[in-house]
Amino acid sequence: MTTLLPPSALPLSKVEQALVDLARKTIDSTTDAGPGEDGIHTMGAAVRAADGRMFTGVNLYHFTGGPCAELVALGAARAAGATELTHIVAVGNHARGVKNPCGRDRQILADHYPNIRVVMTSPGGPVSILASDLLPLGYDYNAEQL
């Protein structure tokens, strides 16, 4: 099976690798689950602002759909006054590595941050992709508003 990457896919830059490292350190220091265990906090995320500041978040698992780590990191960035965001990544606890955003996160990123670069997995290793390329033929929330 061949996975086709969009034209915006690029190998990770040093800035993006630093963001991966920050997300990994965040979840490794805050996870509440041992290896192979379920927990409430098992994913970490980091987001980078255009001015170079980086913000982190962890998920809050709940069976009703608690917030993903990416959404918590986006909220932390906004709470600190960061309005222009350039990169985002999520990683799993216990060295599970980069994790691709779920469908809800993809929709939110495409709607609110279409130009943010999202670090994702690919057959050749991690890459960054524009959020606008995450949902080909996806629902356009903004176009549906009055």
Side-chain angles (χ1 to χ4, degrees), residues 8 16 19 46-50 70 73-74 77 83-89 101 105-106 108-120 128-134:
S8 68
E16 291 162 338
L19 204 62
V47 63
R48 184 177 188 275
E70 295 97 322
L74 290 170
T83 58
E84 187 179 346
L85 304 177
T86 61
H87 300 82
I88 191 167
V89 65
D105 290 346
R106 290 175 190 225
I108 289 168
L109 292 169
D111 288 342
H112 297 298
Y113 304 97
N115 295 316
I116 198 170
R117 296 201 66 85
V118 181
V119 176
M120 300 183 66
S128 71
I129 298 173
L130 286 173
S132 59
D133 286 340
L134 293 178

Side-chain angles (χ1 to χ4, degrees), residues 7-141:
S8 68
L10 297 173
L12 294 192
S13 67
K14 289 181 181 180
V15 165
E16 291 162 338
Q17 186 58 55
L19 204 62
V20 171
D21 294 342
L22 178 60
R24 184 175 45 249
K25 287 176 188 172
T26 298
I27 193 56
D28 286 349
S29 67
T30 60
T31 189
D32 63 338
E37 295 178 351
D38 288 334
I40 297 171
H41 308 289
T42 58
M43 295 291 296
V47 63
R48 184 177 188 275
D51 63 10
R53 292 181 294 159
M54 293 189 280
F55 306 91
T56 61
V58 297
N59 72 315
L60 179 62
Y61 175 80
H62 192 265
F63 74 92
T64 62
C68 297
E70 295 97 322
L71 300 183
V72 175
L74 290 170
R78 184 61 186 202
T83 58
E84 187 179 346
L85 304 177
T86 61
H87 300 82
I88 191 167
V89 65
V91 301
N93 62 347
H94 303 302
R96 291 185 295 133
V98 170
K99 298 296 177 186
N100 295 343
C102 70
R104 179 178 64 171
D105 290 346
R106 290 175 190 225
Q107 187 69 56
I108 289 168
L109 292 169
D111 288 342
H112 297 298
Y113 304 97
N115 295 316
I116 198 170
R117 296 201 66 85
V118 181
V119 176
M120 300 183 66
T121 61
S122 80
V127 295
S128 71
I129 298 173
L130 286 173
S132 59
D133 286 340
L134 293 178
L135 296 171
L137 305 175
Y139 177 77
D140 185 347
Y141 172 82

